[in-house]
């Protein structure tokens, strides 16, 4: 397809959105060849500096998406968990932000909840977001100003008006314990290995709130952030500010994901739990 630089009016019907989604699905098929439900992956598993795992499937998907998406929008910069970062992206209006396999640990041990995450970011804000979970046959797609969809159907966040006992929450175990000590009542849901899928579950209403411990990166959250926003929710740091992408530092602190109507309450509880403010 021809290059486009004016994407101000992009919609779900745009060819570029369809092409990005198709690329994510094709990438998912590549990864599925190495996936074994309930069993250890057939892919070779390596470890990066710091000890986090990376499989040959992660690297294959990374190369595939860089080539495929680079053809679709060659003027865009590139930021991926599995590609060595450079400062060249910082001067770009557009940047493609990719996590080839979000939830690599889960993928490697046969957990179904992992995803290919792809975002197109413009001037620090996601413009298109795709989270594709091949093993679950789920594809979330969002376009700024155009809503969010799961497998083609519009989604929206929970209508819950206040967090209370029974609220469905996903959070790392340690953070969940801190939240309860801070006075928040909820029903902790089974662990979701993929952070992108944790946020997307809030967007679809399957969860009432989700939390992420510190040290997530742009590639973990950019696509899901837009999906949540377009479904009527918010993803924010503890200061409540919207997240800006494609900066020199890609890492983030503790994050809260919730429907817009309860996000302030959720964020306040998280700040208490982290000791950022007094009870």
């Amino acid at each position: 397809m021809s290059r486009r630089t004016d994407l101000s009016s992009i919609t779900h019907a745009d060819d570029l959105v369809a092409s990005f989604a198709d690329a994510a699905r094709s990438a998912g098929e590549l990864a599925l060849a190495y996936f074994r439900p309930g069993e250890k992956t057939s892919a070779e598993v390596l470890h990066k500096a710091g000890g986090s795992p990376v499989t040959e499937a992660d690297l294959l998907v990374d190369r595939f998406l860089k080539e495929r998406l680079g053809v679709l929008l060659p003027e865009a910069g590139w930021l991926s968990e599995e590609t060595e970062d450079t400062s060249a992206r910082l001067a770009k209006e557009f940047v493609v932000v990719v996590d080839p396999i979000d939830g690599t640990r889960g993928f490697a041990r046969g957990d179904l909840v992992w995803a290919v995450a792809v975002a197109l970011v413009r001037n620090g804000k996601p413009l298109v977001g795709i989270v594709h979970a091949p093993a679950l046959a789920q594809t979330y797609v969002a376009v700024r100003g155009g809503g969010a969809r799961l497998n083609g159907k519009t989604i929206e966040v929970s209508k819950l008006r206040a967090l209370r006992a029974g609220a469905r929450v996903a959070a790392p175990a340690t953070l969940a314990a801190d939240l309860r000590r801070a006075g928040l009542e909820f029903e902790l849901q089974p662990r979701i290995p993929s952070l992108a899928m944790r946020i997307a579950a809030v967007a679809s209403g399957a969860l009432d709130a989700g939390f992420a411990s510190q040290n997530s990166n742009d590639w973990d959250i950019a696509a899901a952030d837009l999906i949540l926003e377009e479904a009527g929710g918010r993803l924010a740091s503890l200061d409540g500010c919207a997240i800006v992408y494609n900066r020199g530092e890609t890492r983030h602190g503790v994050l809260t994901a919730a429907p817009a109507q309860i996000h302030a309450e959720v964020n306040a509880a998280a700040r208490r739990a982290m000791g950022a403010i007094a009870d």
Side-chain angles (χ1 to χ4, degrees):
M1 63 181 291
S2 59
R3 291 202 312 175
R4 290 185 53 183
T5 53
D6 180 12
L7 298 176
S8 57
S9 60
I10 193 168
T11 70
H12 278 276
D14 196 287
D15 286 344
L16 185 67
V17 177
S19 296
F20 266 57
D22 286 345
R25 293 188 188 97
S26 295
E29 289 298 316
L30 292 176
L32 274 177
Y34 297 88
F35 181 66
R36 302 291 182 267
E39 300 178 6
K40 182 179 178 181
T41 179
S42 65
E44 181 182 7
V45 181
L46 306 171
H47 288 85
K48 296 181 280 191
S52 61
V54 58
T55 74
E56 62 178 307
D58 292 81
L59 302 176
L60 176 64
V61 169
D62 183 63
R63 291 192 297 269
F64 169 81
L65 287 173
K66 188 172 185 180
E67 179 177 351
R68 175 73 73 88
L69 300 177
V71 170
L72 294 174
L73 204 64
E75 62 266 48
W78 177 260
L79 176 62
S80 168
E81 180 174 13
E82 309 306 346
T83 302
E84 184 175 357
D85 191 19
T86 73
S87 61
R89 62 180 171 80
L90 299 175
K92 301 286 189 177
E93 178 183 4
F94 297 99
V95 61
V96 176
V97 181
V98 167
D99 194 338
I101 297 179
D102 185 59
T104 295
R105 286 185 174 88
F107 170 87
R109 64 173 178 263
D111 191 307
L112 297 176
V113 191
W114 53 275
V116 178
V118 178
L120 176 61
V121 170
R122 182 182 192 182
N123 294 329
K125 294 184 177 181
L127 185 65
V128 177
I130 298 158
V131 174
H132 174 57
L136 298 175
Q138 294 180 354
T139 307
Y140 294 84
V141 180
V143 177
R144 181 161 296 281
R149 300 175 181 178
L150 169 57
N151 292 349
K153 296 183 179 180
T154 300
I155 57 173
E156 58 182 16
V157 296
S158 163
K159 300 300 186 183
L160 199 68
R161 304 304 303 181
L163 272 185
R164 53 180 179 267
R168 301 157 299 168
V169 170
T174 300
L175 180 54
D178 290 340
L179 289 166
R180 284 184 167 137
R181 281 192 289 269
L184 199 63
E185 296 183 6
F186 54 86
E187 189 69 34
L188 185 64
Q189 302 300 294
R191 184 176 182 274
I192 299 176
S194 162
L195 178 53
M197 287 295 287
R198 193 182 313 161
I199 297 167
V202 180
S204 71
L207 292 175
D208 297 305
F211 296 83
S213 52
Q214 61 184 0
N215 291 327
S216 61
N217 283 274
D218 281 8
W219 48 78
D220 298 305
I221 62 174
D225 185 355
L226 182 62
I227 292 165
L228 178 58
E229 180 181 351
E230 289 297 322
R234 286 202 68 208
L235 178 71
S237 53
L238 292 184
D239 61 9
C241 293
I243 298 166
V244 178
Y245 296 94
N246 194 33
R247 298 192 294 188
E249 177 55 73
T250 65
R251 289 178 298 176
H252 303 275
V254 172
L255 301 173
T256 57
Q261 72 272 11
I262 61 171
H263 188 268
E265 176 191 355
V266 170
N267 227 29
R271 290 199 303 272
R272 289 198 303 272
M274 299 301 294
I277 62 173
D279 288 341

